[in-house]
């Protein structure tokens, strides 16, 4: 089996991926000694874990954006003057009243907030959710690829270990 390996990380921008593509090397796994196969399998397992964690984080972020979009849509159906709980922190709320249902303040990250109309906020959340979904698809594809590479490496490693064991048995006889 021949495996292409590259230095670089998945899920980053196109320029990083293009630079990593220049460092691609084809490696014939059958030619590698057992210690290198073990090291390669371990590397694939670590990369799988990293990709799995990245996928879980992206799912969490996607879920939070979808919840925010639902909250904005629910807010648009409320009446001015209606009693609501206003979040001061993630765990502390104070009572308040809706003064304006035409505009909302959206946290766009790193402490920045933007005032948007309800349709603008809905569009923002739709775009960001679609972007995250595309990134999740890329990570999922890479995760499947790493799993296949790990499986192939494990199979070749097992064959080499069996061959070594048979060779030792034949030499002892």
């Amino acid at each position: 089996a021949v495996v292409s390996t590259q230095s670089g990380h998945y899920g980053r921008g196109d320029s990083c991926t293009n630079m990593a593509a220049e460092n691609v090397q084809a490696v014939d796994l059958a030619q590698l000694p057992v210690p290198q196969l073990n090291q390669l399998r371990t590397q694939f397992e670590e990369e799988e874990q990293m990709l799995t964690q990245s996928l879980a984080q992206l799912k969490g972020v996607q879920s939070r954006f979808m919840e925010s979009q639902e909250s904005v849509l629910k807010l648009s159906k409320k009446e001015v003057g209606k009693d609501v709980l206003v979040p001061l922190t993630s765990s502390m709320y104070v009572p308040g009243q809706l003064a304006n249902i035409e505009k909302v303040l959206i946290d766009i990250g790193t402490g920045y907030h933007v005032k948007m109309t309800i349709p603008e906020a809905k569009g923002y959340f739709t775009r960001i959710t679609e972007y995250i979904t595309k990134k999740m698809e890329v990570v999922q594809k890479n995760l499947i690829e790493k799993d296949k590479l790990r499986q192939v490496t494990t199979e070749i490693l097992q064959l080499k270990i069996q061959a070594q064991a048979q060779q030792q048995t034949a030499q002892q006889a």
Side-chain angles (χ1 to χ4, degrees), residues 22-172:
E22 295 173 6
N23 296 327
V24 173
Q25 296 176 335
V27 177
D28 185 0
L29 293 179
Q31 301 302 318
L32 294 177
V34 171
Q36 282 185 329
L37 284 171
N38 252 335
Q39 184 181 15
L40 192 59
R41 183 185 64 182
T42 302
Q43 178 184 339
F44 288 144
E45 288 171 349
E46 289 170 357
E47 289 176 7
E48 273 187 85
Q49 284 180 331
M50 180 197 67
L51 290 169
T52 301
Q53 289 171 352
S54 295
L55 190 60
Q57 288 173 346
L58 286 170
K59 283 181 183 178
V61 170
Q62 181 188 44
S63 175
R64 287 191 296 277
F65 277 116
M66 292 170 78
E67 288 172 8
S68 295
Q69 184 176 22
E70 289 175 23
S71 295
V72 166
L73 294 175
K74 286 178 184 176
L75 181 67
S76 68
K77 298 174 185 170
K78 304 277 183 188
E79 299 174 14
V80 173
K82 182 166 172 99
D83 290 333
V84 293
L85 289 175
V86 180
L88 293 181
T89 67
S90 62
S91 61
M92 185 164 65
Y93 295 82
V94 294
Q97 291 184 338
L98 286 177
N100 180 357
I101 58 169
E102 302 298 318
K103 298 233 180 200
V104 291
L105 198 58
I106 302 296
D107 181 354
I108 60 169
T110 62
Y112 290 97
H113 294 79
V114 175
K115 192 179 281 190
M116 297 181 188
T117 64
I118 299 292
E120 289 171 339
K122 181 183 175 197
Y124 168 76
F125 287 123
T126 299
R127 284 189 309 277
I128 199 83
T129 303
E130 288 172 357
Y131 175 79
I132 292 170
T133 300
K134 287 178 185 174
K135 290 298 178 188
M136 287 172 60
E137 290 169 359
V138 169
V139 172
Q140 183 68 39
K141 178 181 153 197
N142 291 332
L143 183 60
I144 291 168
E145 180 183 319
K146 287 297 175 187
D147 184 56
K148 288 179 183 176
L149 291 173
R150 183 191 50 77
Q151 287 176 4
V152 167
T153 305
T154 301
E155 289 172 12
I156 292 173
L157 181 61
Q158 289 172 346
L159 290 173
K160 282 200 167 229
I161 291 172
Q162 287 174 355
Q164 283 179 352
Q166 288 174 353
Q167 187 179 20
Q168 286 176 354
T169 304
Q171 286 176 353
Q172 290 174 356

